[in-house]
Amino acid sequence: MFANRLFRSWLAALLLGAPASTIAPVTAHASEVAAPEEGAEAEPGAEAGEEVLPVAPDYMPMPVLNIPVLRQNRVAGRLMIEMVLDVASDETMRGIHENRSRLMAGYTETLGAWAAKFQEARGPAQVIAIKNQLQNVTNTVLARDDAIVLLQSAMMTR
């Protein structure tokens, strides 16, 4: 009995210690890569601490939306949406970067209200209606229509 406990504790320690020994060198390597070299020059137009935006036209990835579908004040399902924005101008790219939190809040609020009324919890995701709702929010928040919503996936789970 004692040998079995000793073996299990030794095996557990080995299994817990193995990932820790592999993680340490990887994080050290990542910090070396992230630190700029002393002789390297900064990118043109980038000041210290300022994020460099991609040059338009480009695709701007957005965080995954996880919208609850409510029925009678209960969560009947979840709508998970992955999307990118197809941006046509640098000015729109800056607008998206500055208003990202307003965009995400608008997407969540609009899709939450829409899903409570129109999305069936046991049915497929209504992709065209979802895309139209997201595009309306994008046009409203940015006050422009040159950022196009491209859905990567829309999945309804129960």
Side-chain angles (χ1 to χ4, degrees):
M1 184 88 179
F2 177 72
N4 191 13
R5 282 189 201 167
L6 181 62
F7 177 72
R8 284 189 292 166
S9 63
W10 178 79
L11 183 61
L14 181 66
L15 291 176
L16 291 175
S21 66
T22 59
I23 292 172
V26 172
T27 56
H29 179 65
S31 65
E32 291 171 3
V33 172
E37 296 178 14
E38 291 179 17
E41 295 182 18
E43 291 185 24
E47 297 178 7
E50 183 179 326
E51 184 177 341
V52 178
L53 296 176
V55 179
D58 200 4
Y59 297 107
M60 179 75 91
M62 300 300 283
V64 175
L65 295 171
N66 189 359
I67 310 294
V69 177
L70 301 175
R71 291 286 182 247
Q72 299 174 353
N73 292 330
R74 290 190 165 165
V75 176
R78 294 207 175 272
L79 190 59
M80 296 179 60
I81 300 170
E82 294 179 43
M83 61 182 254
V84 296
L85 296 177
D86 184 7
V87 184
S89 68
D90 290 333
E91 184 178 324
T92 306
M93 190 73 75
R94 282 189 296 278
I96 291 170
H97 184 68
E98 293 169 359
N99 295 313
R100 186 175 287 246
S101 60
R102 285 183 55 210
L103 280 169
M104 296 309 293
Y107 294 152
T108 304
E109 179 182 357
T110 302
L111 281 180
W114 174 84
K117 292 179 185 175
F118 300 108
Q119 179 65 51
E120 291 295 324
R122 297 194 182 268
Q126 299 175 13
V127 178
I128 295 172
I130 291 169
K131 194 254 188 230
N132 290 339
Q133 294 294 319
L134 294 172
Q135 189 66 54
N136 289 339
V137 171
T138 303
N139 293 348
T140 303
V141 170
L142 298 177
R144 306 177 63 95
D145 60 352
D146 60 345
I148 299 170
V149 174
L150 302 174
L151 289 181
Q152 300 296 308
S153 71
M155 182 173 57
M156 188 69 202
T157 60
R158 288 182 243 142

